[in-house]
Amino acid sequence: MALRNSTGAVGGEVYVADDSGQGLAGLPTPQPVPDLNAYLRERRICLSRSPQRLANFIAFLRADRRTAQPDYLPTRMDFENVSRCNFHCTMCKVSEWPKGRRGDDLSLDDFKTVIDQQTGLVEIKVQGLGEPTLQRDDYFEMIRYARQRHIWVRTTTNASLLHLHDNARKLVDSGVNEIQISIDGADKATFEAIRRGAVFEQVVENCALINRLCAERGIERTKMWTVVQKGNRHQLADLVDLAARIGFKSMAFSLDLVDFGMADWRRRNDAVNVDATLKRAEALALLERAEGHGIKLAFWSVTAKYRAPDKICPWPFERTYLSSDLRVVPCCVIGDPDICEVGRGTDLTAVWRGEALADFRRQHLEGRIPAVCKGCYEAE
């Protein structure tokens, strides 16, 4: 059976802001590093090594994904290895957690248990609401364990600790497929005003370090990711130049800020959201600037929102999110089980097929969008 690609860009449907007919439609959207072909090639290997995984993936492709009780297991999953961070970013709810921490770290044994049980997985992300390198060697071992099964692994880091404990080398050598590095300012003042607790010079040096390691191995693994907002809107061209200076080959401008399923955070992040201000001419100029540096630039936005009941969020029907303290959250936009939890424990199959998640799906299917999801849907 031929296996078609289920999404244009890995990680779900991709939308780009539209500017009343003069917008960004058709511009590049984020793709895997180094490219989509690398992802598809690894997925073929992953499926070929496991008859169970292949059978599940075929069932997933054949399903209409509009049922409260899918007959397949999730094909993708997010693992939050730590729910703690050394930064207090202005647009992130982690900044409000006492001492920047919510729960216990995910143990390596529990991670392995879930990976072994979830025979449908072809892709995972190891990171949630927190800085994953704080866990040190167990984090790298989690990546290695998944990669031994040819599961595609993405991760996100603030890069602040890559110079310590040989972390940069350990991360590159873990076999990770894509490392997304958050850079939200092109100079010290802008960067540190948004990513509070950061030292700009150290992060820049660490990015150059990990990109140099990748170059020495002849591989491409990193992507610079910028959350565009009021505080850094004026620096988009400078950010392209910075990416080139410290060795990135891929970068993305994210044009939307999430609300974590909370009305208060929706109001706060809407106040600094500038997605509608990026016009097509400017985007094209940025693309040309990036191309001149040999950088693949993409734009990410979810401002073309879901609309119930005909166009609904695919997350509950395709994937799931396990918090660091073994609580299951509907998606990464919510991220926090204290806001919404649909199950707990390492038996993800029971949660996936359980009534709590089935009812959550049913609400989407029937147009009764849960309050925590309304930020991703068009206003009624």
Side-chain angles (χ1 to χ4, degrees):
M1 175 182 180
L3 298 179
R4 61 181 176 86
N5 181 29
S6 59
T7 54
V10 180
E13 291 184 88
V14 180
Y15 301 103
V16 179
D18 193 16
D19 178 27
S20 302
Q22 303 297 316
L24 310 182
L27 295 183
T29 54
Q31 299 293 306
V33 172
D35 54 40
L36 184 58
N37 286 332
Y39 172 83
L40 294 175
R41 182 169 56 250
E42 194 65 17
R43 191 173 71 182
R44 284 194 294 271
I45 296 171
C46 180
L47 294 172
S48 71
R49 301 291 176 87
S50 169
Q52 284 179 294
R53 213 178 301 275
L54 177 59
N56 185 80
F57 195 73
I58 291 172
F60 165 73
L61 291 181
R62 286 175 173 168
D64 63 7
R65 301 173 215 168
R66 290 183 67 91
T67 175
Q69 291 285 7
D71 62 356
Y72 52 83
L73 293 175
T75 60
R76 291 174 286 167
M77 188 171 167
D78 284 23
F79 289 85
E80 180 187 64
N81 67 311
V82 301
S83 55
R84 53 192 174 104
C85 193
N86 56 337
F87 286 4
H88 304 278
C89 302
T90 56
M91 65 288 190
C92 181
K93 71 165 297 181
V94 175
S95 62
E96 294 186 332
W97 289 344
K99 298 183 179 179
R101 181 178 190 139
R102 184 192 56 77
D104 293 335
D105 292 354
L106 178 66
S107 75
L108 178 59
D109 286 344
D110 285 337
F111 176 87
K112 290 180 176 180
T113 295
V114 176
I115 288 290
D116 291 344
Q117 176 205 86
Q118 290 304 302
T119 55
L121 294 176
V122 298
E123 176 192 345
I124 67 171
K125 181 182 180 186
V126 184
Q127 188 265 340
L129 293 180
E131 170 49 41
T133 57
L134 287 168
Q135 196 178 27
R136 299 188 50 182
D137 286 352
D138 277 1
Y139 164 59
F140 307 120
E141 182 56 33
M142 288 175 183
I143 296 171
R144 279 192 293 271
Y145 194 77
R147 290 297 298 129
Q148 287 167 4
R149 289 145 184 80
H150 290 276
I151 295 171
W152 183 274
V153 180
R154 295 184 297 122
T155 193
T156 297
T157 176
N158 62 31
S160 63
L161 305 176
L162 294 181
H163 64 297
L164 299 175
H165 315 297
D166 207 17
N167 283 340
R169 183 196 61 78
K170 289 176 181 177
L171 182 53
V172 172
D173 291 347
S174 69
V176 66
N177 299 98
E178 181 172 333
I179 307 162
Q180 182 176 302
I181 300 180
S182 303
I183 303 291
D184 292 326
D187 58 36
K188 183 177 180 67
T190 303
F191 187 93
E192 293 181 5
I194 294 172
R195 304 190 71 76
R196 295 174 302 190
V199 177
F200 176 71
E201 297 87 349
Q202 187 66 70
V203 171
V204 166
E205 183 179 324
N206 289 352
C207 289
L209 168 62
I210 196 167
N211 285 327
R212 191 164 56 247
L213 288 171
C214 289
E216 290 170 357
R217 288 157 173 74
I219 59 176
E220 185 181 337
R221 292 291 182 269
T222 64
K223 177 184 292 178
M224 186 171 116
W225 191 277
T226 298
V227 179
V228 180
Q229 54 200 280
K230 187 176 291 185
N232 61 19
R233 174 65 180 83
H234 61 293
Q235 290 193 330
L236 301 192
D238 293 336
L239 283 158
V240 173
D241 294 343
L242 174 63
R245 190 165 73 248
I246 55 182
F248 284 100
K249 300 298 183 184
S250 295
M251 65 180 300
F253 288 133
S254 178
L255 307 174
D256 193 59
L257 291 90
V258 303
D259 62 11
F260 312 102
M262 303 174 68
D264 179 56
W265 274 100
R266 180 73 281 156
R267 287 189 295 271
R268 290 163 68 170
N269 280 342
D270 277 352
V272 297
N273 196 326
V274 293
D275 67 298
T277 70
L278 182 64
K279 309 303 180 184
R280 188 173 188 85
E282 182 183 2
L284 291 173
L286 289 167
L287 284 167
E288 185 177 358
R289 192 183 195 99
E291 186 178 359
H293 286 304
I295 293 175
K296 292 169 284 189
L297 171 62
F299 299 89
W300 166 259
S301 180
V302 292
T303 52
K305 297 187 178 185
Y306 301 117
R307 182 181 59 255
D310 55 315
K311 180 180 164 187
I312 57 177
C313 173
W315 253 91
F317 304 89
E318 298 181 1
R319 61 197 298 177
T320 190
Y321 178 112
L322 184 66
S323 73
S324 66
D325 48 353
L326 299 178
R327 299 159 70 188
V328 181
V329 182
C331 77
C332 67
V333 171
I334 298 170
D336 184 348
D338 290 342
I339 302 303
C340 184
E341 176 185 326
V342 292
R344 59 177 61 197
T346 58
D347 189 353
L348 268 293
T349 299
V351 174
W352 181 256
R353 294 174 174 161
E355 182 53 33
L357 190 48
D359 183 62
F360 189 84
R361 297 186 189 108
R362 202 173 291 119
Q363 291 178 63
H364 285 263
L365 292 169
E366 296 174 358
R368 299 180 291 110
I369 305 305
V372 294
C373 300
K374 287 188 175 179
C376 291
Y377 280 81
E378 292 180 355
E380 298 176 358

